């Protein structure tokens, strides 16, 4: 396949290597110079750009090749799933527990490819799967995209637990409730519950929350230790999707009437509410049935 | 409450502290001298003993006080859930993401108490819950006990991933499939699926698989690096429940006709099958739908 990868961040770069290892003809474009990419000859366009840039980059992608989105987030303006911004051509999403540095180092991993076009998903599976990077087909596009967006917000909270030094028991409890929260949102949006127990759901969530170098986890840790969100973002020096996604997800949940207490808590801390107070009020609530 | 805690391992000791912090009258007994404990005056007997000793210790517990089991495993001989060994008195089980050292250090945590006797569960919740150690009531005793047993086996495999240096992406994928495997067993045994997504399921599984000092994870890591199971057990110097539970769980799954590929893999490595071959054969399989 002739494949254009847009995005030269850690994941775009690592994924281009996955594609080259399968002997595809890969052209990598910076999103700032996306107009120069040879789209008319491409069989596939892979978008690995920040969520806030997804819609704009898309307008510069000419031709009719299918889009494969690697971006995990929501459209910040509308709260829409990113794949819904793609018009007039097939679209698929790849997601899963894929820390870019490990994939780039050739360590084994697994991902799902979701699309409403099952033939496209299967074709991409055949083109990308290898013994080292295993690809499973998923039909629940909505669920896979919501997982990819929401897990970064939960990871900010998990990093907050790390930053406060509350330990792994508390962090595991938070992540567990985080997945319940993600699945509740998914249910309201028509996603399948199984997706949240799969690679794009639980799998990606736990690696994002536990891997030491995860950006969202690290940002949450810094903020819990007193850094402002802007300072944490600057210190990490790469996109921290959870910071963009948290308010978009909160707004979406309020619009559709779903309670997301962890996401609300993250947003209130990002808005300047003291984290210690929030943690204390959560721990003081009367427990009931699980 | 007057409470006897049997078991002086890490978890029994830490849990006795939780009880004392709630100002209960706590007597801690070594299981070797269990006959000397003042059972006739006890309102509750907490068993925090290895699974292989649970049945025998139980025979020495006189009186009619309810039993609260902290033990995570199966009866090695029969494969029975440990609570089913308790006869003639009420029984409840406490489980969740509770690394003993963190609980002992006074870090916050959460647990579930499950019992077929809902009044007992609620009474124990009221007696044990605190702002720092939150207790939720659960009615799915079967699911909670199966989670506690199976998660240690998955943690051996997760430690194996660590020992082989395969990275956190692969580990997250393994843990995700591990929970699916646990839930499949649970379904066949009449447990509720929600339990596996809760504190005793996913919560306990992820902390057991990621916490650096988790015994089962560490044992798996050592075995992957060439140690025999006996050597790993000796190096850790405490009970490694997964080593006892793995064959009991495999036998149970075969009896009831449920496939547990990770548990089968763990057992075959414990039986001397080379781990590298197993990992290679798993990664070489043709991927399908998730």
């Amino acid at each position: 396949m002739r494949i254009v990868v847009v995005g030269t961040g850690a994941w775009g770069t690592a994924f281009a290597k996955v594609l080259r290892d399968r002997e595809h003809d890969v052209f990598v474009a910076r999103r700032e110079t996306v107009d120069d990419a040879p789209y008319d000859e491409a069989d596939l366009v892979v978008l690995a750009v920040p969520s806030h840039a997804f819609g704009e980059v898309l307008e510069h992608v000419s031709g009719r090749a299918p889009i494969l989105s690697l971006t995990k987030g929501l459209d910040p303006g509308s709260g829409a799933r990113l794949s819904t911004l793609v018009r007039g051509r097939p679209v698929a999403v790849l997601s899963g527990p894929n820390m870019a540095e490990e994939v780039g180092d050739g360590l084994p991993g697994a991902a799902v490819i979701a699309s409403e076009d099952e033939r496209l998903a299967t074709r991409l599976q055949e083109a990308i799967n290898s013994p080292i990077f295993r690809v499973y087909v998923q039909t629940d596009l909505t669920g896979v995209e919501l997982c990819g967006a929401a897990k970064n917000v939960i990871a900010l909270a998990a990093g907050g637990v790390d930053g406060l030094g509350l330990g792994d028991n508390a962090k595991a409890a938070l992540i567990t409730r985080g997945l319940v929260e993600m699945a509740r949102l998914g249910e309201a949006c028509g996603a399948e519950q199984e997706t949240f127990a799969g690679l794009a759901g639980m799998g990606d969530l736990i690696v994002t929350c536990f891997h030491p170098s995860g950006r969202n986890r690290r940002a949450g840790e810094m903020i819990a230790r007193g850094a402002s969100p802007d300072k944490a973002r600057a210190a990490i020096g790469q996109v921290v999707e959870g910071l963009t996604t948290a308010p978009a997800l909160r707004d979406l949940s309020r619009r559709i009437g779903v309670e997301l207490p962890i996401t609300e808590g993250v947003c209130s801390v990002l808005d300047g509410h003291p984290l210690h107070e929030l943690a204390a009020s959560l721990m003081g609530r009367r427990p009931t049935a699980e």
Side-chain angles (χ1 to χ4, degrees), chain A:
Chain A
M1 273 190 173
R2 287 159 304 184
I3 303 176
V4 174
V5 176
V6 185
T8 53
W11 188 209
T13 305
F15 193 71
K17 180 176 178 296
V18 168
L19 296 174
R20 289 199 177 102
D21 287 347
R22 279 295 312 268
E23 303 191 343
H24 295 296
D25 180 6
V26 180
F27 182 96
V28 177
R30 294 177 61 222
R31 66 185 160 94
E32 294 81 359
T33 56
V34 63
D35 288 317
D36 303 334
Y39 290 120
D40 295 338
E41 297 152 30
D43 301 308
L44 178 69
V45 176
V46 177
L47 292 193
V49 300
S51 61
H52 68 78
F54 194 94
E56 202 199 326
V57 166
L58 205 53
E59 289 176 18
H60 292 264
V61 179
S62 60
R64 292 180 157 248
I67 300 282
L68 177 63
S69 166
L70 306 189
T71 303
K72 292 173 180 175
L74 298 173
D75 182 54
S78 66
R81 289 184 288 106
L82 296 173
S83 74
T84 66
L85 305 184
V86 178
R87 301 287 157 82
R89 51 169 122 206
V91 59
V93 166
L94 182 140
S95 193
N98 298 306
M99 299 303 292
E101 61 191 66
E102 291 192 359
V103 175
D105 287 346
L107 290 170
V112 298
I113 289 184
S115 177
E116 289 172 359
D117 180 340
E118 285 188 44
R119 284 181 56 197
L120 173 64
T122 304
R123 195 150 58 87
L124 293 177
Q125 176 188 40
E126 286 168 5
I128 300 168
N129 181 70
S130 75
I132 214 73
F133 190 79
R134 298 178 63 74
V135 178
Y136 296 84
V137 167
Q138 246 279 10
T139 51
D140 180 19
L141 180 61
T142 301
V144 168
E145 278 193 296
L146 288 177
C147 284
K151 61 107 188 184
N152 284 327
V153 180
I154 306 300
L156 283 171
V161 172
D162 288 343
L164 293 177
L166 299 178
D168 282 348
N169 290 345
K171 185 166 153 178
L174 174 94
I175 296 169
T176 301
R177 296 309 300 173
L179 189 59
V180 170
E181 175 168 322
M182 288 166 57
R184 193 188 305 135
L185 174 74
E187 189 174 19
C189 296
E192 291 163 25
Q193 289 299 295
E194 291 76 13
T195 303
F196 295 84
L199 290 169
M202 174 175 166
D204 197 5
L205 177 66
I206 62 180
V207 78
T208 305
C209 291
F210 276 103
H211 195 71
S213 68
R215 301 176 203 175
N216 293 280
R217 193 205 64 73
R218 282 168 59 211
E221 189 170 21
M222 288 181 206
I223 293 166
R225 289 181 177 157
S228 68
D230 281 344
K231 199 164 178 181
R233 200 192 314 255
I236 287 169
Q238 291 174 300
V239 177
V240 181
E241 282 289 5
L243 296 175
T244 312
T245 305
L249 201 64
R250 175 196 55 193
D251 296 349
L252 169 65
S253 73
R254 288 180 179 177
R255 264 197 318 275
I256 62 177
V258 176
E259 281 189 38
L260 304 183
I262 297 172
T263 302
E264 291 280 351
V266 166
C267 288
S268 83
V269 170
L270 296 181
D271 290 344
H273 191 91
L275 179 55
H276 282 88
E277 280 181 23
L278 185 73
S281 84
L282 284 172
M283 295 302 285
R285 289 193 307 175
R286 192 174 164 75
T288 54
E290 189 182 19

